[in-house]
Amino acid sequence: MSASDDRLRETPPGATDCHCHIFGPAARFPYAEPRSYTPEDETLEDYLALLDRLGLDRGVIVQPSAYDRDNACTLDALRRAPDQLRGVAVVGAEATADTLRAMHRDGIRGLRANEYRRDGAAAYHGGVRLAEIEPFFPVMAELGWHLQLWIDARHLPDLEPRLAKVPVPIVVDHMGRLHHSHGTHDPGFQALVRGVGTGRYMAKLSGTYRLGAVKPDYLDAKPFHDALVAANPDALVWGTDWPHPRPDGGRPDAARLLRVFLDWTTDPVLRRKILTDTPARLYDFPAV
């Protein structure tokens, strides 16, 4: 049996990649100006082929910062594969409640807030801060959406008083995206663990390399993964982060990232929760 066949056997029905991006074709979907990076074309067709190769049935497209608030590329992909895909959009004050309702019909199920900062400044061009999304909370709750939060977990405690007022699920990107050298006892990561434990927060078991862990085994990220699984496996999803825009230390292999998740999550009940059941609820996929 090949490694690919083995992966296919180990992923449960309805397995979902809950974090990817679609780029291009740039001739049809030009990138924002300014932007922090210029990706190569990584199209819907490329992504659907990846899902098939990994033995995954579904995917969630997250609007990338290279497109800022122009969601056209993401929405086009959702319209072309409505049974397999859902999405998370980026909008701000330019949008209306009707904008969100139209996006819902196309498969959007959440909005992404960018609170990721370095030295007090935005780490990436593009994106919308929490303050611009707050007026949309009533319609997000009406639609059954969630708030996706892009943040370094070290800054989470400062934001918690505002997050306590958010009336929809809060999904934190990439295990909190702090460097592994800060350790799992970091107060911000512990705030994330407590929130996941109570179900107040959800987290994506994605971006192991974004914690500064290195291939092939990314072992420095494993304590963060393990702490979140121990806190509450019902509040977790997993994602490839394909095609890994602007990674530190080179582009990882999505198949290897899946292999690492499976090696770290050997219980088939936990795998099904994280890969299938919780994504189905969060992103409004049919139950399997």
Side-chain angles (χ1 to χ4, degrees), residues 15 45 50 70 96 162-163 207 217 221 263:
E45 292 76 15
L50 177 76
D70 181 357
T96 67
R162 289 171 64 191
L163 296 177
D217 296 322
D263 287 347

Short mmCIF file of all heavy atoms in Angstrom, two decimals, residues 15 45 50 70 96 162-163 207 217 221 263:
data_model
loop_
_atom_site.label_atom_id
_atom_site.label_comp_id
_atom_site.label_asym_id
_atom_site.label_seq_id
_atom_site.Cartn_x
_atom_site.Cartn_y
_atom_site.Cartn_z
N ALA A 15 -13.82 14.13 5.90
CA ALA A 15 -12.65 14.85 6.42
C ALA A 15 -12.48 16.18 5.72
O ALA A 15 -12.59 16.27 4.49
CB ALA A 15 -11.40 13.99 6.27
N GLU A 45 -8.66 24.49 -9.21
CA GLU A 45 -8.35 23.17 -9.76
C GLU A 45 -7.16 22.54 -9.03
O GLU A 45 -7.17 21.33 -8.74
CB GLU A 45 -8.08 23.26 -11.26
CG GLU A 45 -9.31 23.60 -12.10
CD GLU A 45 -9.72 25.06 -12.03
OE1 GLU A 45 -8.92 25.91 -11.55
OE2 GLU A 45 -10.87 25.36 -12.44
N LEU A 50 -5.44 18.63 -4.77
CA LEU A 50 -4.78 18.37 -3.49
C LEU A 50 -5.71 17.62 -2.54
O LEU A 50 -5.29 16.65 -1.90
CB LEU A 50 -4.34 19.69 -2.85
CG LEU A 50 -3.71 19.54 -1.47
CD1 LEU A 50 -2.30 19.03 -1.57
CD2 LEU A 50 -3.75 20.86 -0.70
N ASP A 70 -11.20 42.34 -1.31
CA ASP A 70 -11.80 41.90 -2.57
C ASP A 70 -11.94 40.38 -2.52
O ASP A 70 -10.98 39.65 -2.76
CB ASP A 70 -10.95 42.33 -3.75
CG ASP A 70 -11.54 41.91 -5.09
OD1 ASP A 70 -12.61 41.24 -5.09
OD2 ASP A 70 -10.95 42.24 -6.13
N THR A 96 -22.46 45.69 3.92
CA THR A 96 -23.75 45.85 4.58
C THR A 96 -24.26 44.48 5.02
O THR A 96 -23.69 43.45 4.63
CB THR A 96 -24.79 46.48 3.64
OG1 THR A 96 -25.07 45.56 2.58
CG2 THR A 96 -24.28 47.80 3.04
N ARG A 162 -13.13 42.40 25.16
CA ARG A 162 -13.96 42.64 23.97
C ARG A 162 -14.48 41.32 23.41
O ARG A 162 -15.63 41.24 22.96
CB ARG A 162 -13.16 43.39 22.91
CG ARG A 162 -12.89 44.84 23.29
CD ARG A 162 -11.92 45.47 22.32
NE ARG A 162 -12.45 45.56 20.98
CZ ARG A 162 -11.71 45.89 19.91
NH1 ARG A 162 -10.42 46.14 20.06
NH2 ARG A 162 -12.27 45.98 18.72
N LEU A 163 -13.66 40.29 23.44
CA LEU A 163 -14.10 39.00 22.91
C LEU A 163 -15.23 38.41 23.73
O LEU A 163 -16.06 37.65 23.21
CB LEU A 163 -12.92 38.04 22.84
CG LEU A 163 -11.79 38.42 21.89
CD1 LEU A 163 -10.65 37.41 21.97
CD2 LEU A 163 -12.29 38.55 20.45
N GLY A 207 -0.85 25.22 10.86
CA GLY A 207 0.28 26.13 10.91
C GLY A 207 1.38 25.71 11.87
O GLY A 207 2.02 26.57 12.49
N ASP A 217 9.34 16.76 11.16
CA ASP A 217 8.43 16.28 12.20
C ASP A 217 7.75 17.39 13.00
O ASP A 217 6.82 17.11 13.75
CB ASP A 217 9.17 15.35 13.16
CG ASP A 217 9.66 14.09 12.46
OD1 ASP A 217 8.92 13.57 11.60
OD2 ASP A 217 10.78 13.63 12.76
N ALA A 221 6.13 22.00 17.86
CA ALA A 221 4.72 22.41 17.93
C ALA A 221 3.85 21.39 18.63
O ALA A 221 2.70 21.71 18.99
CB ALA A 221 4.19 22.67 16.52
N ASP A 263 -0.22 11.33 13.00
CA ASP A 263 0.70 10.71 13.95
C ASP A 263 0.48 11.24 15.36
O ASP A 263 0.68 10.50 16.34
CB ASP A 263 2.15 10.96 13.52
CG ASP A 263 2.55 10.13 12.31
OD1 ASP A 263 1.81 9.19 11.95
OD2 ASP A 263 3.60 10.44 11.71
#
